[in-house]
Amino acid sequence: MKKKRILQTAAMAGLLAWTSSARAQLPVTDGLFLWLDATDPNTLFQDSGMTTLAGPGDNVALWFDKSGNDYHAFQDDDLLQPTVEANAMNGNNSVRLDGLDGDGMFIDDSAYLGRPYTAFIVNQYWGPTTGRTLQSQDINWLHGLWSGNHGHFADGWVGYVGAEIGVPYVTDAVDDFDTSSVMTNGLDITSSSAPIGEPGRLGIASVGVYPLEVSDADISEIIIYDRILDEGELTATREFLYGKYSVEIIEPPAQDAVFAGQLGVFTGGDPGEGLDFEGDFRYAINVGGPGGYAVGDVEFTDGSEFGITDDTPEVFITDANEIIDWHLDGEYGDTQNDDELEGVMESIRWNVPPGLDIELDVEAGTQYKLQLLFAESCCNRGFDLFLEDEQVVDNMNVQRIQGGINNGSQGVFYTHTFTAGDGTLNITLGGSDPGAPDNNPILNGLTLEVLAGLLGDFNGNGSLDADDIDLLSAAANGAGGAQFDLTGDGNVDGADRDKWVVEIANTYYGDADLDGEFSSTDFVRVFTAGEYEDAIDGNSTWSEGDWNGDGDFTSSDFVAAFAGGGFEIGPRGGVSAVPEPSAFGLWGLAACGLMGWLRRRIS
């Protein structure tokens, strides 16, 4: 039975006395609407008359509202009553709900919550029944936990992310008349500010419009204000609760972190609009199908499950969900290329985690340029990208990069130039983005272009740099890879390093900054790095003095550098690069003197 709970006169006098004192503990009390605090043992009762306090293990029939509004939570059915759990939330007591028993509590019907409001809840899952904690008795509204997540729903998702069992979450919702937001443990998880459902009457766990969405959950505190707290008040209340429950603050995840390649937006299919459709293409695949779209030099083939068959063994894509009419809002322009690209972007292939795997036959040692194409028409979606089992993008969020869901004027691309190390290119779309509620990866299309390539450009950035010689040194030390065999003798060793330095980069050992000369400037650079004979194995790179490729900067690197005879003679060219044998000792003496001078200069 849902009714107004009337306090007995004697109990009222005592409770009001300590309630007034307890209110002073909160940093903000103006507009306090509801305050249920299980850490206060004087607020939990075994009976609705509030004659017997509930201790650890006891059933809770009434949970006293400390706001002063008498909006108490209650449950008359002892089979549905939660219990008191000692030290459940980082040493704090909680009201424990058992999902198997269908525990839940009514909150007094007089507590009708309309907009605006600010709501805090401190809760956690303790078991596998992952239902709701705080919900509405009138509409589809929830705050706190739901289905293994923590977040806020107000007739539409404001935001949610996954919740771990045994981890306390302090979640707050700030809902004005026309906008909503949600934060958990210091992380803003708002994915949409549009939902503006008005909660009305409130209930805990099984009491609400979804009584079967029960929970194995602990609730230690619920604090609701009937107004919007300003930033200072929000910060003070959050810090109060974070400290009280010793919650782990969630650091904002790095968004769209690119470790290799490039992320960006495109606005059409013509040159200068973000994509490359000019060149020699090994593959162009409309992943969701159909084929036949032509953009520039590219003709897209059908990449649907019907288009990729046993007759196309050079291509594998995870057999997953396909939507042919996914993105119908694409409008990139009026040219033929724009119109054809719009057709490609209409369909997708998508999958639940672990995601999509793609394998393409390639030729080892050949340089390629990969393009992946995306358009978001649904969700706040985040996932990761991997090439050759190495992560290249972390927490990629298509709708954020695209400029909003259903933004028909632009899409998203990922591009990467690389040299194939073996006969198969492996692409994976998977992983998760903690800041996005949807981690199901999608893909609209892809292209793989064959490049003439710059010999020795192993990182694919279009230039010869220190990273390239470091990659070659690692390969020569055992990492291997056919693309590093520059001499074509079937081995990756010092001969390949010699070819890269002398013939391809046209410079000398010792040229730390790879400006084409070996000079005192290079010594300044490497000694500034401070790694000369630092007794740390394998921590040095070419630009830090590791010229012989063993991973360390030692006197052996000076031997390798001065053996080339290029010190202070300018760029490699017509000058004899090898000193007379009798002069080599003088070079060594000069190097020792130079090292002493540099150390004094840098210290």
Side-chain angles (χ1 to χ4, degrees):
M1 179 174 62
K2 296 173 283 184
K3 60 184 179 180
K4 179 77 174 178
R5 294 284 150 166
I6 305 298
L7 292 178
Q8 296 177 357
T9 304
M12 180 183 295
L15 288 169
L16 288 178
W18 56 254
T19 298
S20 177
S21 173
R23 282 169 60 90
Q25 300 172 15
L26 277 181
V28 180
T29 58
D30 181 22
L32 189 59
F33 178 83
L34 175 68
W35 185 12
L36 303 177
D37 181 7
T39 70
D40 187 338
N42 295 310
T43 66
L44 302 174
F45 294 89
Q46 297 184 49
D47 62 307
S48 60
M50 295 183 293
T51 60
T52 306
L53 290 172
D58 292 334
N59 280 16
V60 179
L62 186 140
W63 190 356
F64 184 82
D65 170 25
K66 293 167 63 172
S67 74
N69 294 320
D70 296 342
Y71 296 150
H72 314 307
F74 62 92
Q75 178 55 261
D76 294 330
D77 188 341
D78 58 1
L79 296 178
L80 302 178
Q81 291 170 353
T83 57
V84 179
E85 185 70 17
N87 304 317
M89 303 272 278
N90 285 340
N92 295 280
N93 291 358
S94 74
V95 168
R96 171 154 289 189
L97 304 161
D98 190 319
L100 184 63
D101 293 341
D103 293 345
M105 301 187 80
F106 296 93
I107 295 176
D108 198 291
D109 281 357
S110 300
Y112 188 95
L113 183 61
R115 286 176 174 261
Y117 60 86
T118 305
F120 291 85
I121 188 169
V122 185
N123 54 187
Q124 71 176 8
Y125 283 123
W126 63 264
T129 306
T130 54
R132 304 185 179 210
T133 43
L134 181 63
Q135 66 167 314
S136 168
Q137 299 183 52
D138 298 318
I139 69 165
N140 190 2
W141 180 97
L142 67 87
H143 185 57
L145 300 176
W146 171 82
S147 190
N149 300 279
H150 53 87
H152 181 51
F153 189 95
D155 251 357
W157 277 113
V158 179
Y160 71 95
V161 292
E164 298 181 42
I165 293 177
V167 175
Y169 294 99
V170 177
T171 301
D172 64 82
V174 181
D175 290 4
D176 211 336
F177 291 106
D178 56 359
T179 186
S180 303
S181 65
V182 58
M183 178 174 284
T184 294
N185 287 13
L187 178 66
D188 187 347
I189 60 172
T190 306
S191 59
S192 174
S193 61
I196 55 172
E198 185 169 286
R201 298 174 303 148
L202 303 175
I204 293 174
S206 63
V207 174
V209 293
Y210 289 93
L212 298 182
E213 294 189 5
V214 293
S215 291
D216 285 345
D218 293 310
I219 305 176
S220 283
E221 202 154 351
I222 297 173
I223 304 172
I224 300 177
Y225 300 86
D226 60 6
R227 65 182 183 88
I228 300 298
L229 272 58
D230 63 32
E231 284 302 316
E233 293 171 325
L234 281 170
T235 298
T237 308
R238 286 165 180 160
E239 290 180 350
F240 167 75
L241 293 174
Y242 296 163
K244 179 176 179 179
Y245 293 95
S246 302
V247 300
E248 182 177 349
I249 300 302
I250 304 173
E251 296 297 329
Q255 300 296 325
D256 309 315
V258 180
F259 307 127
Q262 181 183 3
L263 272 176
V265 298
F266 64 84
T267 58
D270 294 316
E273 295 182 333
L275 296 175
D276 177 11
F277 293 118
E278 297 179 341
D280 177 17
F281 289 85
R282 175 71 175 85
Y283 300 99
I285 303 173
N286 185 15
V287 175
Y293 293 107
V295 186
D297 296 333
V298 171
E299 182 170 349
F300 284 87
T301 60
D302 186 346
S304 69
E305 59 180 313
F306 300 106
I308 298 177
T309 66
D310 292 339
D311 295 329
T312 53
E314 69 275 12
V315 177
F316 167 82
I317 305 178
T318 301
D319 186 8
N321 306 283
E322 297 175 351
I323 303 177
I324 193 70
D325 55 354
W326 164 256
H327 185 62
L328 302 178
D329 297 325
E331 182 54 59
Y332 306 131
D334 298 325
T335 69
Q336 180 71 20
N337 285 336
D338 292 335
D339 292 341
E340 295 287 296
L341 181 60
E342 290 164 9
V344 173
M345 302 306 295
E346 285 184 0
S347 61
I348 61 166
R349 187 177 296 208
W350 69 275
N351 201 24
V352 297
L356 291 170
D357 288 314
I358 302 166
E359 296 178 3
L360 304 175
D361 284 358
V362 293
E363 295 182 8
T366 299
Q367 192 176 42
Y368 296 92
K369 180 178 180 180
L370 173 70
Q371 285 184 137
L372 303 178
L373 309 180
F374 309 89
E376 182 58 72
S377 293
C378 163
C379 310
N380 180 12
R381 182 191 314 275
F383 51 91
D384 305 324
L385 297 182
F386 300 82
L387 294 182
E388 302 295 81
D389 298 322
E390 296 290 335
Q391 188 172 17
V392 293
V393 180
D394 189 25
N395 301 329
M396 174 182 169
N397 188 298
V398 178
Q399 68 99 9
R400 180 177 55 245
I401 305 169
Q402 181 178 279
I405 296 172
N406 277 334
N407 184 351
S409 63
Q410 59 188 23
V412 175
F413 71 80
Y414 169 78
T415 183
H416 180 56
T417 300
F418 64 96
T419 301
D422 55 37
T424 304
L425 171 62
N426 299 285
I427 307 167
T428 299
L429 288 70
S432 64
D433 176 359
D438 190 327
N439 293 144
N440 300 323
I442 63 171
L443 181 63
N444 300 66
L446 68 84
T447 66
L448 188 67
E449 181 181 358
V450 181
L451 302 179
L454 176 62
L455 188 63
D457 177 23
F458 300 118
N459 63 8
N461 66 357
S463 64
L464 300 175
D465 53 30
D467 188 35
D468 296 312
I469 185 62
D470 289 333
L471 290 170
L472 176 54
S473 296
N477 287 328
Q483 72 270 33
F484 298 103
D485 180 16
L486 299 175
T487 61
D489 64 356
N491 300 311
V492 181
D493 51 26
D496 299 291
R497 298 184 77 253
D498 291 340
K499 184 176 180 67
W500 192 96
V501 173
V502 176
E503 297 182 27
I504 298 175
N506 194 34
T507 189
Y508 302 94
Y509 285 94
D511 180 12
D513 58 7
L514 290 174
D515 65 352
E517 300 183 44
F518 177 27
S519 66
S520 59
T521 301
D522 298 297
F523 283 104
V524 173
R525 180 186 183 96
V526 297
F527 275 99
T528 300
E531 294 186 15
Y532 181 67
E533 298 199 345
D534 61 359
I536 302 175
D537 291 335
N539 69 323
S540 301
T541 63
W542 174 276
S543 62
E544 296 167 342
D546 176 29
W547 297 318
N548 67 0
D550 66 359
D552 295 304
F553 179 24
T554 66
S555 58
S556 298
D557 296 292
F558 290 108
V559 173
F562 283 103
F567 184 69
E568 295 286 11
I569 66 173
R572 180 178 292 278
V575 180
S576 175
V578 181
E580 296 296 324
S582 60
F584 184 75
L586 296 177
W587 283 111
L589 292 174
C592 293
L594 183 59
M595 283 189 289
W597 172 76
L598 284 167
R599 280 172 168 162
R600 291 192 299 272
R601 179 179 175 184
I602 295 169
S603 63

